[in-house]
Amino acid sequence: MKKVAIMTDSNSGITQLEAKKLGIFVLPMPFTIDGKEYFEDINLSQNEFYKYLMNGAEVFTSQPAVGDVTKYFDNILKDYDEIVHIPMSSGLSGSCQTALMLASEEEYKDKVYVVDSQRISITQKMDVFNALELAKIGKSAKEIHDILMKYKMDATIYITVNTLEYLKKGGRLTPAAAALGSLLKIKPILTIQGEKLDSFKKTRTMSKAAKIMLDATIEDINSRLDPKGKGENVEIMVAYTYDKEAADEYVKMIKELYPNHHVFADPLSLSVSCHIGPHALAIGACKKII
């Protein structure tokens, strides 16, 4: 039986310490902050990142260099026969396409399998957990890839932001729209239902936004993800930027509806946080695979 390694990137929210405990590999996403390059969870912590972001630093995200990706592949293949790599959605970053291109090269063909599951953050993390469990029961890299691709659309994410400032900085809102939204104290709710981040609804307060997102997630669970089990066969997760207390309260709210679920709350990856800013809140759900 071939030895299969599970690899992802830091957009999954999995830290280097957590990766070491799990026995997986996490490629750190690069940042440029005031002209200096940093790597998530290598020489840039969550606290340091928000200190820069909230004090007006120029923060830009980029994708890992080709050489960094191949270095990870090469180092892993010294000890493993195959790799399942689960990067962030190809609809949100070019890093997935780069990985797919590299995996098709003769050197890595039939050794590296890249999963474009169109997921990010907490749902991407669940893909990693599923891949790890599938590897433990003896599935090959190709089998794991095919299973994850089969279920890739059985997931949902909703995100709300506390300020429009960072969406404006990232070019996702015009300055005029951001100014009007800020004046009206609008809290947009965004969703990922597959490839891209789309607008879902708008409201005036974070508490109302949290309720709308939870209701929408429940609707997705009951109508699409688990219509028969009504939530028994899904994983439910929460993510946040900077404000853990709000996330913990959200978990309590969810567990009142789903008392038998383990609902975890993770910080959103810094490459996502860069575009939505502090005090954002997200909820995700995906169908259980195993």
Side-chain angles (χ1 to χ4, degrees), residues 238 240 243-254 265 281:
V238 168
Y240 62 94
D243 191 355
K244 188 176 186 302
E245 288 184 9
D248 289 341
E249 287 301 314
Y250 205 29
V251 168
K252 289 179 184 177
M253 186 189 305
I254 295 165
L281 188 63

Side-chain angles (χ1 to χ4, degrees), residues 27-169:
L27 180 68
M29 298 301 289
F31 289 82
T32 302
I33 301 177
D34 288 339
K36 183 178 178 181
E37 188 173 54
Y38 294 86
F39 293 89
E40 182 167 358
D41 203 32
I42 300 294
N43 61 346
L44 182 65
S45 69
Q46 288 266 333
N47 287 339
E48 290 168 334
F49 170 80
Y50 285 111
K51 184 178 178 181
Y52 285 121
L53 190 70
M54 295 164 70
N55 283 284
E58 291 291 331
V59 182
F60 300 98
T61 60
S62 58
Q63 66 183 60
V66 168
D68 290 338
V69 180
T70 56
K71 187 184 295 184
Y72 258 69
F73 288 170
D74 293 339
N75 285 337
I76 293 170
L77 289 170
K78 290 176 184 177
D79 300 309
Y80 291 83
D81 301 304
E82 299 178 323
I83 299 171
V84 177
H85 179 34
I86 307 167
M88 72 183 292
S89 168
S90 62
L92 298 169
S93 169
S95 58
C96 182
Q97 294 296 346
T98 298
L100 285 165
M101 176 194 71
L102 293 171
S104 69
E105 293 182 356
E106 195 62 35
E107 187 177 358
Y108 303 113
K109 195 173 181 182
D110 299 325
K111 292 181 182 178
V112 178
Y113 293 82
V114 178
V115 180
D116 183 10
S117 60
Q118 271 126 24
R119 298 188 182 189
I120 189 171
S121 183
I122 41 182
T123 54
Q124 181 186 356
K125 183 174 186 175
M126 288 310 306
D127 258 354
V128 174
F129 287 168
N130 286 326
L132 193 59
E133 290 304 311
L134 290 166
K136 286 177 181 177
I137 63 173
K139 297 293 184 183
S140 69
K142 185 179 187 309
E143 287 173 325
I144 295 169
H145 168 275
D146 292 348
I147 290 168
L148 295 183
M149 291 296 286
K150 178 182 177 181
Y151 291 100
K152 71 177 188 174
M153 300 306 293
D154 293 329
T156 186
I157 292 183
Y158 295 92
I159 306 170
T160 189
V161 302
N162 188 51
T163 173
L164 299 175
E165 175 186 350
Y166 299 94
L167 289 171
K168 182 187 75 173
K169 281 184 178 180

